[in-house]
Amino acid sequence: MAKIYIDERELEVAEGTTILKAAESAGLQIPHLCYHKAFIPEGSCRMCLVEIEGLPKLELACSTQVRDGMKITTTSESVVEARKGVLECLLAEHPIDCPICDKAGECKLQDYYDEYGLFDSEFDENKEKRQKRIEIGKNLLHDQERCVLCRRCVRFLGEVTKTHELGVFQRGVRAEVSIYDGILVDNNYSGNLAEICPVGAITDKDFRFKARTWFLQSRESICPLCSRGCNIYVESHQGFSRFSLPKRVYRIRTRENQMINGFWICDKGRYDYAYLDQERLDEIRMRNSQGSVTWPEITSHIAGEIGRLYHMKRAAHIGLILQTWLTNEEFFLLDKIFRNDVNIDKISFLDPAEEASDDFLLTSERTPNKRGAKELGFDLQPADWKKFFEDVDLLFVFASPIQDGLDVGPLKEALEKIDTKILFATHNHEINSSFDIVLPMSLIAEKGGSLTNIVGSVQNFSPALDAPGECRPAWQFFIELAKKLAINFDFYNQFSSMDDVREMMKKENPFFREVH
Amino acid sequence: MNPELTDQTKKKIEEIASHYATKDAALLPVLHLVQREKGFISQQEEKEVADLLNIKPIKVKEVVTFYTMFNQEQVGKYHIQVCSNLSCSLLGADSLIEHLKSKLGIGVGETTSDKKFTLKTVECLGACEQAPCMMVNFDYFGNLDREKIDNILDSLE
Amino acid sequence: MADKILTEHFGLENLFKIGVYMKNKGYEAVKKVLSEKKPDEILAEVKAANLRGRGGAGFPAGVKWGFVPKDIEKSKYLCVNADEGEPGTFKDRYIMTHNPHLLIEGIIITSFCVGIHTAFIYIRGEYEAVALRLEQAISEAYDKGFLGKDILGTRFKLDVYVHRGAGAYICGEETALLESLEGKRGNPRLKPPFPASIGLFGCPTVINNVETISNIPSIVLNGATWFCQMGLPKDGGTRIFGVSGLVKKPGIYELPVGTNLKEIIVQHAGGMKDGKKMKAVIPGGMSAPILTEEEIDINMDFDSLVEAKSMLGSAAIIVIDEETSMLDVLMRVTKFYSHESCGQCTPCRIGNSWINKIVKRISDGNGKRGDLDKIIQLANNMLGKTLCPLGDAAAMPVMSIIQKFREELESYIPLGN
């Protein structure tokens, strides 16, 4: 350990740590543009210069390692002057078009200008003319005039994806970042470029001109579109009092987690979020019912249906079709209620088919929690549907939110012969009409719980969005149902929240005790 | 479209590359070689060189656009590069550039319509004791005055 | 005893050929080293000679070599810096053209001393004829058994290659040179690590200027004491002063380190050309702060020039006459650095271009009050704050020109602006 002093604050940090990291660990922010935790420091923007006692020149915080006894000043006049000088230069050749820039509100150049003095420009010369709108990827536009040459994008494509689509051409003030001969950034991680760009040089067409960043509410969640469990922020817009907006979610951003996804998410996870808003099922539907039905009514009704068969010792005629979009806690409750209490063994999974993985983050599994289901004792082997549907009188189906990837073929025919069919769904779909009862369910982003990723890491998450209309998380329904069934009332009566269920699961199953 | 690099050049490239710990380090000498053969480095050459050195063409373009000696366009048969740095300008480089412009009927950075001459100004050529000086292709000419320039131009076929 | 080390035999016809060179004590030093000396002894001698780098920074060569780790599995490299891009500098061209074997001999001894088996001479791309001459000389040295395997019957081996740059001043900066040698853009590297530990291809690397290396054979032959006596105790040997600009006899003059600047200009270079009056002198290549005519009675060694707030640099002397406008000088200087900035770090990339734009505007008759102060401020933003020394190299001359010739420069700014 080394004892250092930053702005007279004494800190104990590991030997070899950089000044910038040491400062951040103490909550002190040192401005930087080119530095990014994912990359080796490049030291080119010169924003992070600090004063070190005994050294004649200002030194870089991003690359200078601390030494025991080092006294560092981050706010002295010479430091501030140096940073102002850098900003002044960057702004001199920058279009300063913040009112129409998507990065406004989360732009480092803008933030630092506010912090370092809001000075007037003394640049009376002509700015360099550069290309304003280069399509560099399917979803990416590059504005060379806004670029500060931090090379984060170039380094990302060189060091992370190793695809090298961007380079720096020319030199001096004419240096510019671009693609080669029209070859676009074409990899499953391209969206990270717009995110790591510290200014508005690389913008995301998906977000461009859609919303101002300061209206967005950013909430933590887990990406459910494959079984990696990448950590994300779901960013939603509440709309205005004058009018509402056509959707809630405007952007998915990466959330750093070195154990799971590092600094990145894939383009699938980033861009395929339309399902959060489009075609959502948000009301309980019951065939032949007059007027609306409430959750307590429908729960009682379903409990009655199950109870009837259970007491007639006909539980073998109840079928359960699941998919691995459910959380660990939900599988825990399903196991308890349907297998343990009611004693159903007709349980099969109808997950979307596996697809190619990309050898980085995206896995072949297109649901988030296969591993959790397995750890809770569910058999994910494909079912013999013919055999499954023999003698089914009461069928429960949990539909995947991404129904396009679901093969409903085996269901359609069989459904006609079954007395009572109940669907738990998140979206409108033509198959919904084949069911007697359709229940609107919350998505992963709208509920709390935990997921187990492909390598067995268990991650908790909380709701990032409010559930629309009558949607409910499955776990909540399961608890209410179990209480109504009253086969094991005392056990379920302990649960009044998600956390209660989780604690019980951890108590009973040691696998879930370690949470990432 | 230019013809492909000759086998002889390709062989020479392999030989040069063997001097370095990694093949891609040979990029500068290889580009010199290719420019000698083709006159300039177009996208076609960037791709060919990239292929031979097992790197991405974008890496070649990054380098080609960094160094001033690599021509990205065809230059005249005689590439005249006049030093406009301090020592040469102290001794009248500017008036010699004007002389060349009027004599050749082109501006700086331009090529005569018969593709014979390209005129450029460059930074210090490292021959300040012979200021003012210029290069015609790779030949240095120093202690220039108008008469000397006229003689040099007359001697170029 | 001769008072020249590097140019002593320049008058000889065909000195560049190995036969002529050998007849004049050529390769004696290599023979002596390979038969009698241990690497440590050579290192001690070079350290004692206080041979300071001739490229510009003046770092002691022996100390630099000493930083290279001794027992290491990796290859080690020698890179000879023959980029010679500093405006006003042309001395290395003379050494390589007239006395290429002296450089090769220095390379062999340096390599033997540090334990190097591959050396590159990084020569600026424009020097094609010089590169060919070097390659010819290297080939002769191979033929005579001074290069290649089992040199002079010992187990020491060394390969030397000429690597041509392609038009980029920044490649004279040692880490940019390494990048360029690796086939990349000449963007300087962040230091540390220093090349002595992580240099070319990630291996320990010695980088020395042509003139520095060319001094090695005579240090080995004649000893450190002799070498120091040639110059100053703390700054040994001679310097090849390159004089250009408004003098009667521009050219190279090899003189003891510490020779008086006025003496060099007046006695050796013949004084002012065409009876012109001197106005200013740049004493060490374009990046050296300018001296006024009153300031040139000064000794040309590293410490004396630092004391005068200038620098010896590459010892390239540019003499400016009174008729020359200092605005024009400022223009050439700022255009050069703006053109040669690699573009990697902010203050240099934009600062140099901005400064040059202001100077151009003043030249066009549209100067404003405050322009000169703005230039000083922008230069100050670069000074000591850029990734590599180019920021300093650009800032120093600009600041000194404005400080020393402010009145004249202000006269180019229209009244009322």
Side-chain angles (χ1 to χ4, degrees):
Chain A
M1 295 301 273
K3 188 187 279 181
I4 61 163
Y5 304 85
I6 303 184
D7 297 334
E8 290 174 2
R9 259 176 79 176
E10 189 181 305
L11 298 176
E12 285 267 351
V13 293
E15 205 89 44
T17 309
T18 61
I19 294 172
L20 195 141
K21 282 184 183 160
E24 283 191 346
S25 73
L28 291 163
Q29 298 302 318
I30 294 180
H32 55 270
L33 292 159
C34 67
Y35 171 76
H36 186 287
K37 274 186 276 187
F39 311 123
I40 299 160
E42 192 165 79
S44 63
C45 75
R46 317 306 286 177
M47 267 308 279
C48 72
L49 289 170
V50 294
E51 203 173 308
I52 300 171
E53 195 181 280
L55 295 183
K57 294 198 285 187
L58 301 179
E59 299 290 333
L60 292 170
C62 70
S63 66
T64 308
Q65 296 181 353
V66 300
R67 275 190 321 275
D68 196 40
M70 202 180 244
K71 293 196 172 83
I72 300 145
T73 315
T74 72
T75 53
S76 67
E77 200 183 328
S78 62
V79 168
V80 172
E81 281 310 306
R83 291 183 186 163
K84 267 171 108 162
V86 170
L87 278 177
E88 187 183 23
C89 280
L90 289 173
L91 292 167
E93 289 290 348
H94 187 88
I96 326 213
D97 54 349
C98 313
I100 54 153
C101 178
D102 289 286
K103 202 74 177 188
E106 55 187 18
C107 168
K108 281 183 177 277
L109 205 50
Q110 210 179 28
D111 294 351
Y112 298 151
Y113 173 69
D114 260 35
E115 186 179 348
Y116 286 89
L118 299 164
F119 47 81
D120 288 333
S121 172
E122 292 178 353
F123 184 77
D124 280 335
E125 324 306 321
N126 292 324
K127 294 185 195 234
E128 298 294 313
K129 286 263 172 289
R130 301 171 212 268
Q131 281 184 270
K132 293 287 291 173
R133 198 179 193 282
I134 310 174
E135 181 163 343
I136 60 164
K138 191 169 82 251
N139 280 310
L140 302 171
L141 289 174
H142 179 45
D143 182 336
Q144 292 181 329
E145 293 188 350
R146 288 182 188 159
C147 176
V148 293
L149 265 298
C150 71
R151 292 195 348 116
R152 284 183 179 190
C153 53
V154 177
R155 286 181 282 161
F156 175 81
L157 296 170
E159 294 171 26
V160 180
T161 63
K162 298 186 171 63
T163 46
H164 304 279
E165 292 99 335
L166 287 174
V168 180
F169 303 140
Q170 312 299 337
R171 73 181 190 205
V173 78
R174 293 177 57 226
E176 62 190 27
V177 169
S178 198
I179 49 170
Y180 182 78
D181 190 24
I183 302 167
L184 299 178
V185 178
D186 181 21
N187 58 62
N188 194 30
Y189 295 85
S190 67
N192 291 294
L193 292 181
E195 205 176 314
I196 58 172
C197 180
V199 297
I202 297 180
T203 48
D204 199 322
K205 281 194 231 169
D206 185 68
F207 182 66
R208 207 169 144 89
F209 305 139
K210 298 268 175 31
R212 307 301 336 219
T213 56
W214 50 87
F215 289 126
L216 297 181
Q217 198 165 58
S218 192
R219 295 258 181 85
E220 295 184 359
S221 192
I222 308 273
C223 177
L225 300 184
C226 86
S227 56
R228 178 67 59 197
C230 290
N231 291 206
I232 55 168
Y233 290 106
V234 174
E235 302 201 330
S236 60
H237 198 310
Q238 303 303 301
F240 302 101
S241 50
R242 261 188 72 233
F243 57 92
S244 59
L245 293 169
K247 62 174 187 173
R248 299 175 297 169
V249 178
Y250 279 78
R251 196 165 64 168
I252 303 293
R253 282 198 306 124
T254 177
R255 179 161 61 90
E256 182 190 341
N257 185 336
Q258 289 309 313
M259 305 293 291
I260 308 289
N261 54 305
F263 303 94
W264 323 115
I265 56 170
C266 77
D267 284 358
K268 183 176 177 55
R270 184 183 300 276
Y271 297 122
D272 289 358
Y273 61 86
Y275 79 96
L276 291 169
D277 283 305
Q278 279 175 10
E279 289 294 326
R280 286 303 301 283
L281 174 73
D282 60 1
E283 57 181 17
I284 300 167
R285 288 180 194 159
M286 192 171 174
R287 193 177 285 167
N288 305 324
S289 88
Q290 307 289 321
S292 60
V293 188
T294 64
W295 272 104
E297 285 165 3
I298 207 82
T299 312
S300 297
H301 175 76
I302 292 168
E305 290 285 313
I306 297 171
R308 189 167 53 82
L309 291 169
Y310 172 73
H311 291 297
M312 289 163 70
K313 305 272 186 254
R314 286 177 60 85
H317 294 264
I318 302 173
L320 205 56
I321 297 179
L322 304 174
Q323 38 72 39
T324 47
W325 272 82
L326 294 165
T327 66
N328 295 326
E329 292 77 4
E330 287 162 349
F331 280 120
F332 172 75
L333 289 169
L334 274 168
D335 175 53
K336 286 282 169 206
I337 300 165
F338 289 90
R339 288 210 299 208
N340 189 53
D341 301 348
V342 186
N343 217 356
I344 295 169
D345 58 4
K346 230 183 233 301
I347 299 176
S348 274
F349 282 78
L350 190 61
D351 274 336
E354 295 200 357
E355 289 173 44
S357 76
D358 69 359
D359 296 325
F360 185 31
L361 295 175
L362 183 70
T363 69
S364 59
E365 299 171 353
R366 291 302 141 87
T367 57
N369 203 23
K370 272 193 158 67
R371 182 68 186 267
K374 277 184 211 161
E375 294 297 337
L376 284 153
F378 289 91
D379 178 8
L380 304 185
Q381 292 304 310
D384 176 349
W385 292 113
K386 199 164 171 238
K387 202 169 160 227
F388 180 91
F389 284 117
E390 277 171 15
D391 301 327
V392 171
D393 295 334
L394 175 60
L395 178 71
F396 294 97
V397 176
F398 286 82
S400 157
I402 314 292
Q403 282 160 326
D404 289 343
L406 192 69
D407 181 14
V408 291
L411 278 180
K412 254 188 158 167
E413 230 175 283
L415 286 175
E416 289 168 19
K417 296 173 195 151
I418 299 167
D419 292 347
T420 311
K421 296 145 296 196
I422 299 164
L423 177 71
F424 297 86
T426 50
H427 289 77
N428 297 318
H429 191 267
E430 57 164 310
I431 193 107
N432 295 12
S433 61
S434 310
F435 288 83
D436 303 298
I437 297 171
V438 185
L439 296 170
M441 306 308 293
S442 302
L443 292 160
I444 297 285
E446 295 161 351
K447 64 186 174 187
S450 66
L451 294 167
T452 310
N453 85 347
I454 189 161
V455 294
S457 297
V458 179
Q459 299 188 89
N460 292 341
F461 59 91
S462 302
L465 297 168
D466 296 333
E470 294 180 300
C471 288
R472 275 202 177 183
W475 63 265
Q476 201 182 342
F477 168 76
F478 292 152
I479 293 171
E480 296 305 317
L481 178 72
K483 285 179 186 167
K484 292 245 160 76
L485 270 173
I487 298 170
N488 196 353
F489 184 84
D490 290 345
F491 181 75
Y492 300 102
N493 203 33
Q494 310 169 71
F495 304 143
S496 55
S497 73
M498 178 70 239
D499 289 345
D500 299 337
V501 183
R502 181 180 296 149
E503 286 314 309
M504 182 59 75
M505 174 177 76
K506 282 158 78 171
K507 201 169 130 191
E508 294 198 358
N509 192 332
F511 177 83
F512 295 98
R513 283 177 201 159
E514 197 187 320
V515 175
H516 288 112
Chain B
M1 178 117 165
N2 281 343
E4 270 194 30
L5 293 171
T6 61
D7 286 345
Q8 200 192 340
T9 305
K10 287 184 183 170
K11 217 176 131 191
K12 179 84 182 144
I13 288 173
E14 287 298 323
E15 201 270 317
I16 293 171
S18 73
H19 300 170
Y20 303 89
T22 60
K23 204 173 180 184
D24 51 348
L27 184 53
L28 263 65
V30 166
L31 286 171
H32 278 302
L33 201 68
V34 171
Q35 180 158 295
R36 176 155 297 257
E37 189 174 313
K38 302 285 194 77
F40 68 112
I41 314 283
S42 74
Q43 207 165 72
Q44 181 197 329
E45 283 76 34
E46 283 168 0
K47 288 176 182 173
E48 263 184 290
V49 167
D51 209 33
L52 287 165
L53 296 180
N54 214 1
I55 52 179
K56 300 250 179 192
I58 194 167
K59 296 278 155 204
V60 182
K61 187 175 173 181
E62 283 189 310
V63 165
V64 168
T65 58
F66 185 88
Y67 297 94
T68 54
M69 284 178 69
F70 296 127
N71 304 320
Q72 289 161 268
E73 289 168 4
Q74 185 74 58
V75 293
K77 185 177 175 192
Y78 298 105
H79 189 188
I80 301 173
Q81 302 183 73
V82 191
C83 173
S84 62
N85 202 288
L86 187 55
S87 295
C88 286
S89 72
L90 287 171
L91 290 153
D94 283 1
S95 80
L96 296 181
I97 293 163
E98 288 307 313
H99 180 65
L100 275 161
K101 275 158 73 177
S102 70
K103 182 108 186 169
L104 298 173
I106 52 173
V108 172
E110 292 175 359
T111 301
T112 53
S113 56
D114 61 1
K115 303 274 184 276
K116 195 169 169 190
F117 297 104
T118 297
L119 178 63
K120 281 187 193 156
T121 59
V122 289
E123 296 299 344
C124 185
L125 288 169
C128 319
E129 84 284 16
Q130 309 163 36
C133 70
M134 68 179 188
M135 272 171 88
V136 178
N137 297 339
F138 277 108
D139 294 327
Y140 273 68
F141 295 92
N143 300 315
L144 297 172
D145 54 29
R146 286 174 185 231
E147 196 188 335
K148 209 162 167 185
I149 284 182
D150 289 347
N151 290 338
I152 293 164
L153 291 183
D154 288 345
S155 72
L156 299 174
E157 283 305 308
Chain C
M1 191 179 281
D3 57 359
K4 291 182 169 60
I5 299 171
L6 308 158
T7 62
E8 186 188 352
H9 303 298
F10 267 28
L12 295 172
E13 202 181 341
N14 290 338
L15 175 62
F16 63 90
K17 292 189 171 162
I18 198 163
V20 178
Y21 181 72
M22 287 179 73
K23 273 189 202 139
N24 291 279
K25 290 202 281 186
Y27 289 103
E28 293 291 324
V30 162
K31 288 176 191 162
K32 180 175 170 184
V33 160
L34 290 183
S35 58
E36 300 170 14
K37 298 262 181 181
K38 292 203 172 68
D40 283 351
E41 294 173 81
I42 305 166
L43 182 62
E45 198 76 52
V46 173
K47 276 185 178 167
N50 288 323
L51 168 65
R52 298 180 65 166
R54 267 42 172 166
F59 197 82
V63 177
K64 205 182 230 184
W65 300 1
F67 289 149
V68 176
K70 280 210 176 69
D71 303 309
I72 187 165
E73 290 273 311
K74 283 186 189 172
S75 307
K76 298 176 203 173
Y77 292 101
L78 170 64
C79 297
V80 178
N81 190 342
D83 195 53
E84 194 153 70
E86 184 69 35
T89 317
F90 45 88
K91 63 186 178 70
D92 295 338
R93 198 187 86 236
Y94 271 86
I95 298 174
M96 293 184 285
T97 306
H98 296 279
N99 211 353
H101 286 287
L102 181 67
L103 174 63
I104 295 168
E105 199 176 355
I107 290 171
I108 299 168
I109 299 164
T110 306
S111 301
F112 177 76
C113 174
V114 187
I116 288 165
H117 303 292
T118 309
F120 291 95
I121 303 171
Y122 185 100
I123 186 168
R124 61 177 298 172
E126 292 86 349
Y127 284 179
E128 187 185 62
V130 189
L132 291 173
R133 174 150 294 179
L134 278 175
E135 277 171 348
Q136 182 60 39
I138 289 167
S139 159
E140 288 177 341
Y142 271 101
D143 289 346
K144 293 272 186 213
F146 293 119
L147 291 176
K149 284 180 195 156
D150 303 331
I151 295 171
L152 299 180
T154 66
R155 295 188 61 192
F156 180 63
K157 71 178 176 87
L158 176 66
D159 287 311
V160 179
Y161 304 107
V162 176
H163 181 104
R164 288 174 59 208
Y169 166 71
I170 190 59
C171 292
E173 193 281 329
E174 59 179 13
T175 60
L177 183 149
L178 295 177
E179 288 286 297
S180 187
L181 245 170
E182 290 181 5
K184 300 179 211 155
R185 294 164 64 84
N187 288 340
R189 297 176 183 172
L190 204 55
K191 291 192 270 194
F194 291 91
S197 51
I198 297 179
L200 189 64
F201 305 119
C203 299
T205 302
V206 171
I207 304 156
N208 281 132
N209 171 259
V210 169
E211 188 183 343
T212 315
I213 295 286
S214 301
N215 272 298
I216 300 298
S218 64
I219 292 174
V220 168
L221 275 183
N222 305 311
T225 315
W226 169 85
F227 190 76
C228 287
Q229 280 165 1
M230 291 289 285
L232 300 172
K234 279 177 149 182
D235 194 348
T238 60
R239 287 299 298 251
I240 301 182
F241 297 99
V243 189
S244 65
L246 272 301
V247 290
K248 281 200 185 102
K249 295 190 292 175
I252 56 155
Y253 300 96
E254 184 182 2
L255 297 163
V257 167
T259 304
N260 183 281
L261 175 57
K262 196 169 184 174
E263 180 195 322
I264 297 171
I265 295 170
V266 175
Q267 289 177 24
H268 299 279
M272 294 303 287
K273 190 180 179 180
D274 304 336
K276 301 210 188 238
K277 195 172 174 309
M278 187 191 296
K279 185 177 192 177
V281 175
I282 294 174
M286 190 175 257
S287 13
I290 202 160
L291 300 174
T292 61
E293 200 238 337
E294 297 81 54
E295 294 172 313
I296 65 161
D297 188 4
I298 187 171
N299 294 340
M300 291 289 277
D301 58 82
F302 282 106
D303 297 341
S304 301
L305 278 155
V306 168
E307 213 170 295
K309 296 196 166 53
S310 184
M311 66 174 199
L312 182 57
S314 61
I317 299 161
I318 305 173
V319 180
I320 297 162
D321 71 312
E322 206 176 47
E323 286 164 37
T324 301
S325 136
M326 290 316 285
L327 182 61
D328 192 48
V329 173
L330 192 59
M331 182 71 170
R332 308 286 162 176
V333 171
T334 60
K335 178 171 76 81
F336 176 72
Y337 290 107
S338 178
H339 185 259
E340 299 300 338
S341 166
C342 82
Q344 195 177 203
C345 79
T346 313
C348 173
R349 177 177 74 245
I350 298 173
N352 278 310
S353 155
W354 187 345
I355 291 173
N356 185 232
K357 284 174 179 175
I358 296 175
V359 177
K360 243 189 246 171
R361 182 163 49 73
I362 300 174
S363 273
D364 292 343
N366 298 317
K368 288 183 313 168
R369 192 182 299 273
D371 278 346
L372 297 176
D373 290 330
K374 189 69 203 170
I375 294 174
I376 294 276
Q377 186 221 323
L378 289 167
N380 204 34
N381 283 347
M382 292 195 277
L383 201 64
K385 300 181 190 75
T386 52
L387 197 150
C388 85
L390 194 135
D392 289 357
M396 292 186 303
V398 167
M399 291 168 103
S400 70
I401 291 169
I402 294 178
Q403 276 153 11
K404 294 181 183 177
F405 297 94
R406 189 164 190 125
E407 209 174 315
E408 182 194 335
L409 293 170
E410 275 173 349
S411 75
Y412 299 110
I413 295 172
L415 287 174
N417 267 25

